[in-house]
Amino acid sequence: MSPEVVTLSDSILFSLLAIALIVGCAWLLDASRGKDRVIFGTILIVMLLNYLYFRITKTLPDFEWSPYAIWPRFYLGFEVVVIFYTVLSIVFFFKRTDHSGAADASEALIAQHSRHPAVDVFICTYNEELSILERTILAAKAIDYSNFAVWILDDGRRDWLEDYCNEIGVRYLRRSDNVGAKGGNINNAVRRSAEETNAPFILILDADFAPQRGILKRTVGQFIDTEIGLIQTPQFYYNADPVQHNLLASKAWVDDQRIFFDVMQPSKDGWGAAFCVGTSCIVRRDALELIGGMPQETVTEDIHLTYRLMQKGLKTRWLNERLSVGLSAESLSGYITQRCRWCLGTIQVALLKDGPFLGRGYTLMQRLHYFHGLLFWFCRPFILLLMAAPLLFYFLGLPAILMEPEAFFLYALPMVAAMWTFHSWVSGRRSLPLFTEVSQMVSAIPITIALVHALFHPFGRPFKVTAKGEDRGRVEILYPIAATFFAIIVLTFIGMLNGPLLSTYNDLDGFSIAWGMVVMVYAFVSMLVCIELPRAPLEKLELSLAREAQIASGGKASRCMIDTISVDTARITMNEDSALSQMRLGDILIFAPFDNFDVAGQITSMDRANAGLSLAIVAVRDRRDDYEIRKGAEDIRRKMVQRMFSEMPEVMPARAFPILAIQGLMQRMFARPAVLIGDLEPYTLNGREAPRKFHKPRFFSPKVPLLQLGGGAVPPAAAE
C-alpha cells in the first residue's frame, strides 16, 4: 500500500491544479509549432515517468511465489509496455513534416513541360463488385495528367471485368495463380507493363480507392529528389467505419485511422521513418527493380516494401494531402480482419532476416520506429487486463494495483487527464475520450489471439482480403465479441454486489468500484458497436454538396443551393420565390454541380413550403473534356460516377465534436431500434465548403447554345 501522508482533500486539490496546468498548456500552446510540442510533450513525459516510478516503488506487494504477488507484476509489465509506447509517441511528435511546398513545386515543374513522365496506374483487385471498382477505374481515367496508362490487375480472373475494361479503354491483366497475393499481383504487372509502357513511375491503388485529379501532378515532380523511392499519400474515406456508424458518430468523430494518417505519419516522416500503406502511393520502377520487386514474404507487403527501400538508402516521403478517397471497412468483422492482418504482417516483417531487427542497412532511428509500431499491437492485451482486473479482485481477492484514493488523485488522475488533453491537442482535436478507446477495445480480443498465434506460427497463414460491398441491409450482431462484453458487464456488476458494495468497505474497495464502473461503461459502448446497424446499398450513395449555384429555367437564371447529388438524382433548394412559383413538375432545369460540368434535371417532386426540388438527371455535359451531350442512362451514370469520385469534397469530419458524439451515443442507447433504423440516412455524404461563396459558373460554351434533349430543347442559361 502506498504510504501517502496527505489528506484526501489535499490530493484532490493538487489533482485539480495539475489538470488546470495541463488545460492551460493546451490553451496557450500551438500544436503546429515544434517548440510547443516539445514543451507540452516533456511535461507529459515527466508525469508519466513520475507515475511509473510511483507504481514500481509503492503499489506492489512484497514478492512471493503466489498469485497475490505475481498478478500485480504481470499487470504492471503490460502497463510498462503502454507507457513506453506512449513516451515514444510523444517524442516522435516533436518533429513533423509538411511537403505541400514540394507538391506545389512538383505541379509547377509538370506544368512547364508538355510531355510528362510516363506513369502506370495499377488498380489491384480480387473479388470486388463493379459498383466499387468502376469508381476507382473511372476516377483514374480522369486524372489530370497527359501521360499515363491504367492497368486493372485482376487476381479474381473474371471475364466480365475484362469485357468492361475493353469497353471503357483500360488495360486488363490476369495471371494463372495467386502466388504472393497482392505483392505477387503487382510483380506480375511490373513485368508485363515493362513490355508495353515501361513507365518510370507506378501509382498503386486498391480497388476501392478513387484517385483525385491532381494526384500525379502533386507527386511525380517530387522525384527530382533521387533519394525518394516512394511517395505515400493518406487514406481518406467516404463512408463511416463500423465504430462511427454503429455509434451514430459519423458526423461527430473522425475515423479510426485519421490520427495515424494525419498526425503520426507526418511525425514519422520528420524522423525519416514514414512507411507505405499499400494504396495511393507512387513508386519508382527502378526502385522496385533495385530491391527485386514488391515483397511477397508477408501479408503486409506495404511496410515491408518501405524497409527494403530503406536498406538501399531510399526513403518514403509522406505527402499529407487528400489525393484519394476510399471505402472503409463496412462491417465490424471486416474491420477486425483487416487489423489482425496488419498485426500479423508487422510481426512477420520483424522476424525476417532482412527485416528492421535482424537485417543490415538500417539506422537506429529506423529500427526504433519499427519497434514503436510493434509495441502498438502489444498494447492490446493490456486492454483485456484492464477489463479483467476488477473481476479478479471481486471474486479472487487479487488486486492489480495497491493504491489509496489519495495516491490516485496525486499520481494517476492527473496523468490520465494529461494524456487525454495532450492527444486531443497534438492531433488537432481528432482524439475523443471513450470513442477513441472503444475503437481499440472492440478488436482487442481477436488481436490478442492473433498476437499469440503469430508468436508461435508467424508464417503460413493465407492473405485475407477485407470484404467490401457486403449486403448490410439488416441488423448484424458479432455474437462472440458482443457476448464477451456482456459477460464482463454482468460479472463486474455481480462482483460489486458480492464484494465491495455489500461487504466491509476499505480503500481498495472504493478504488475497485470506480474501476469497475469505468469498465462497465466501456464494455457497454463496445457491445453497442458489436450490434451493427444497417447500411444502405453503395449504389444509393448521395453526395451532400451544400453548394450555391445558378439554375437555368425558362430562359432565365436563378440562384439556388445544390443540397445533394447522386448518379441519377439531385435535390435543390431555390433561393428566389419568384423563380420557384413559375416551376412545374416535369420542367427541365440546368445547373452545374461541379466546375465545367452541366447537368439537366427533370423536376420529379416539389416542396414549395421549403422551396425544395427533387430532380431526375436526364442529360450531362462535361466541358472539361469535350462538349458532347450525354443522354443515355449508362453514359450519364458513368460520367456522374467519374465526376463525383474524382473531385469529391471532404465528406467525413476532420475533428471530433464531443457534444454531437454524446448526443448520437444517447440516441443509440435509448432509441427503439425501429425508430433508430428509420431515422438513419446512410450513405449521404456531407461535403464541407467553408466559407460558402456564390460563384457564377459558365453553363454553356458558345459552341453549343442549346442542350438538346430528345426532340425538345432546353432554354439556355441567362447571358454570362
Side-chain angles (χ1 to χ4, degrees):
M1 197 70 78
S2 54
E4 300 297 339
V5 295
V6 297
T7 64
L8 180 61
S9 59
D10 288 340
S11 63
I12 293 175
L13 178 60
F14 174 83
S15 181
L16 293 175
L17 291 174
I19 293 173
L21 171 64
I22 294 300
V23 173
C25 288
W27 181 264
L28 297 174
L29 300 178
D30 185 351
S32 64
R33 294 199 296 258
K35 291 183 179 179
D36 288 6
R37 293 196 299 274
V38 172
I39 293 172
F40 199 170
T42 301
I43 293 174
L44 179 54
I45 290 174
V46 170
M47 295 179 72
L48 284 166
L49 296 181
N50 182 53
Y51 168 80
L52 182 59
Y53 176 77
F54 164 75
R55 283 281 286 115
I56 294 173
T57 58
K58 304 294 184 181
T59 66
L60 295 175
D62 294 335
F63 182 77
E64 59 183 22
W65 291 104
S66 69
Y68 184 82
I70 294 175
W71 158 239
R73 287 170 169 81
F74 182 76
Y75 182 90
L76 177 61
F78 278 94
E79 194 174 4
V80 170
V81 171
V82 174
I83 292 175
F84 188 40
Y85 171 80
T86 304
V87 170
L88 280 179
S89 298
I90 295 169
V91 172
F92 293 158
F93 287 148
F94 290 171
K95 288 187 178 182
R96 183 183 296 177
T97 59
D98 180 2
H99 294 297
S100 295
D104 292 338
S106 169
E107 199 162 4
L109 182 64
I110 295 297
Q112 294 174 7
H113 300 84
S114 58
R115 182 66 176 175
H116 300 160
V119 179
D120 282 328
V121 180
F122 289 175
I123 300 175
C124 307
T125 176
Y126 176 65
N127 60 359
E128 295 80 9
E129 298 293 334
L130 182 60
S131 58
I132 295 174
L133 264 171
E134 72 169 351
R135 297 173 180 180
T136 304
I137 296 172
L138 294 176
K141 289 192 65 180
I143 292 175
D144 185 17
Y145 196 80
S146 66
N147 189 15
F148 68 95
V150 178
W151 298 77
I152 311 303
L153 318 184
D154 181 21
D155 251 9
R157 295 177 285 280
R158 293 158 288 180
D159 293 336
W160 62 262
L161 180 54
E162 183 175 11
D163 294 339
Y164 176 81
C165 292
N166 292 333
E167 179 185 350
I168 66 171
V170 297
R171 291 171 167 83
Y172 174 87
L173 281 180
R174 67 168 66 178
R175 53 186 181 140
S176 59
D177 55 44
N178 299 108
V179 174
K182 181 180 175 181
N185 194 11
I186 292 174
N187 285 333
N188 177 66
V190 170
R191 291 189 296 268
R192 297 281 295 277
S193 62
E195 301 170 1
E196 297 186 34
T197 56
N198 199 32
F201 303 106
I202 298 171
L203 168 62
I204 300 174
L205 297 168
D206 281 348
D208 56 330
F209 269 85
Q212 302 301 277
R213 278 176 53 79
I215 188 169
L216 294 183
K217 285 186 174 180
R218 301 290 290 174
T219 53
V220 171
Q222 295 188 53
F223 284 99
I224 196 171
D225 181 351
T226 57
E227 291 185 354
I228 298 175
L230 182 146
I231 296 177
Q232 178 66 63
T233 66
Q235 297 178 12
F236 282 83
Y237 305 108
Y238 58 80
N239 68 318
D241 67 32
V243 179
Q244 290 175 299
H245 179 73
N246 294 326
L247 295 182
L248 303 182
S250 60
K251 300 177 183 178
W253 182 54
V254 302
D255 63 82
D256 174 49
Q257 293 295 296
R258 201 74 273 127
I259 295 176
F260 171 74
F261 289 131
D262 293 350
V263 185
M264 182 57 73
Q265 281 280 48
S267 294
K268 284 184 172 293
D269 189 75
W271 295 92
F275 57 84
C276 174
V277 296
T279 183
S280 312
C281 59
I282 299 89
V283 62
R284 284 169 34 193
R285 183 183 291 267
D286 60 357
L288 278 179
E289 294 172 349
L290 182 65
I291 63 173
M294 182 71 70
Q296 299 180 198
E297 298 90 336
T298 71
V299 296
T300 50
E301 77 295 326
D302 42 18
I303 190 171
H304 194 186
L305 169 63
T306 292
Y307 275 81
R308 279 197 172 170
L309 291 175
M310 286 180 179
Q311 280 188 308
K312 301 298 183 181
L314 297 173
K315 60 186 178 183
T316 296
R317 168 170 287 184
W318 182 262
L319 177 60
N320 198 30
E321 294 187 359
R322 185 177 169 277
L323 295 173
S324 67
V325 290
L327 185 64
S328 177
E330 299 171 280
S331 67
L332 188 58
S333 59
Y335 177 92
I336 291 173
T337 296
Q338 188 179 61
R339 279 141 185 81
C340 287
R341 185 178 73 243
W342 296 344
C343 171
L344 173 62
T346 304
I347 294 175
Q348 287 179 337
V349 174
L351 296 176
L352 292 174
K353 292 182 179 180
D354 67 343
F357 293 157
L358 303 178
R360 296 181 178 180
Y362 301 107
T363 66
L364 177 61
M365 186 56 64
Q366 289 168 345
R367 298 179 195 270
L368 186 60
H369 272 270
Y370 199 89
F371 180 65
H372 172 260
L374 200 61
L375 285 179
F376 174 81
W377 301 110
F378 280 91
C379 290
R380 294 298 162 270
F382 178 72
I383 295 175
L384 303 184
L385 300 181
L386 196 69
M387 292 188 289
L391 297 178
L392 292 177
F393 178 71
Y394 298 150
F395 294 102
L396 299 178
L398 299 178
I401 303 175
L402 300 179
M403 184 182 295
E404 298 170 345
E406 293 83 357
F408 172 77
F409 286 104
L410 282 174
Y411 296 98
L413 184 60
M415 182 269 297
V416 172
M419 286 179 57
W420 279 348
T421 304
F422 176 82
H423 281 103
S424 177
W425 174 81
V426 80
S427 67
R429 292 199 289 175
R430 292 172 175 85
S431 176
L432 186 62
L434 179 62
F435 292 85
T436 299
E437 286 84 10
V438 163
S439 67
Q440 308 300 329
M441 289 183 72
V442 294
S443 59
I445 297 173
I447 285 178
T448 300
I449 295 173
L451 272 173
V452 174
H453 191 280
L455 291 176
F456 292 98
H457 303 285
F459 297 98
R461 298 177 66 180
F463 185 97
K464 293 184 178 181
V465 178
T466 304
K468 300 290 179 69
E470 300 173 287
D471 179 10
R472 309 299 307 166
R474 62 183 183 275
V475 174
E476 299 278 355
I477 302 176
L478 199 60
Y479 284 102
I481 300 180
T484 301
F485 286 122
F486 180 74
I488 289 172
I489 296 170
V490 172
L491 291 174
T492 302
F493 183 70
I494 293 174
M496 283 184 182
L497 294 179
N498 183 58
L501 287 182
L502 298 181
S503 301
T504 304
Y505 183 84
N506 58 48
D507 290 338
L508 278 182
D509 286 333
F511 184 66
S512 70
I513 290 172
W515 193 335
M517 292 177 66
V518 170
V519 166
M520 286 196 293
V521 169
Y522 276 98
F524 178 72
V525 177
S526 299
M527 186 178 67
L528 289 180
V529 175
C530 297
I531 305 172
E532 301 193 68
L533 298 176
R535 296 181 188 247
L538 287 173
E539 291 78 5
K540 294 185 178 181
L541 182 145
E542 286 185 337
L543 177 63
S544 179
L545 289 181
R547 179 177 182 178
E548 289 196 44
Q550 279 189 330
I551 193 164
S553 174
K556 298 180 180 180
S558 305
R559 297 175 66 176
C560 71
M561 176 72 71
I562 305 174
D563 299 319
T564 66
I565 195 163
S566 69
V567 296
D568 53 8
T569 62
R571 298 178 188 175
I572 290 175
T573 300
M574 296 300 301
N575 293 352
E576 301 175 15
D577 293 338
S578 58
L580 178 65
S581 64
Q582 300 176 14
M583 295 178 180
R584 300 292 182 270
L585 290 176
D587 285 355
I588 301 294
L589 309 179
I590 302 173
F591 59 99
F594 309 107
D595 293 336
N596 298 309
F597 191 72
D598 304 324
V599 171
Q602 188 172 35
I603 300 177
T604 56
S605 65
M606 305 181 69
D607 180 3
R608 294 189 181 277
N610 297 305
L613 303 174
S614 294
L615 308 175
I617 298 174
V618 295
V620 297
R621 179 176 61 183
D622 191 345
R623 287 179 283 112
R624 186 186 61 194
D625 299 330
D626 54 44
Y627 292 91
E628 179 184 354
I629 301 168
R630 292 171 170 83
K631 297 177 288 185
E634 184 62 16
D635 288 342
I636 292 173
R637 190 188 64 80
R638 288 182 180 177
K639 182 53 69 172
M640 289 298 299
V641 167
Q642 185 177 66
R643 290 306 297 255
M644 286 175 61
F645 285 89
S646 66
E647 302 174 60
M648 182 178 287
E650 190 170 347
V651 296
M652 301 304 292
R655 67 176 182 85
F657 298 90
I659 295 177
L660 193 59
I662 293 173
Q663 289 175 345
L665 179 58
M666 292 298 104
Q667 183 184 8
R668 180 71 173 88
M669 290 171 58
F670 299 111
R672 290 185 294 112
V675 174
L676 188 62
I677 295 171
D679 288 343
L680 290 178
E681 296 180 1
Y683 286 112
T684 298
L685 307 183
N686 296 279
R688 299 194 304 275
E689 289 192 356
R692 290 181 181 174
K693 295 182 180 179
F694 176 72
H695 298 284
K696 184 176 181 181
R698 294 178 59 88
F699 289 97
F700 300 104
S701 164
K703 295 180 181 180
V704 185
L706 295 178
L707 183 57
Q708 301 293 331
L709 295 175
V714 179
E720 299 179 38

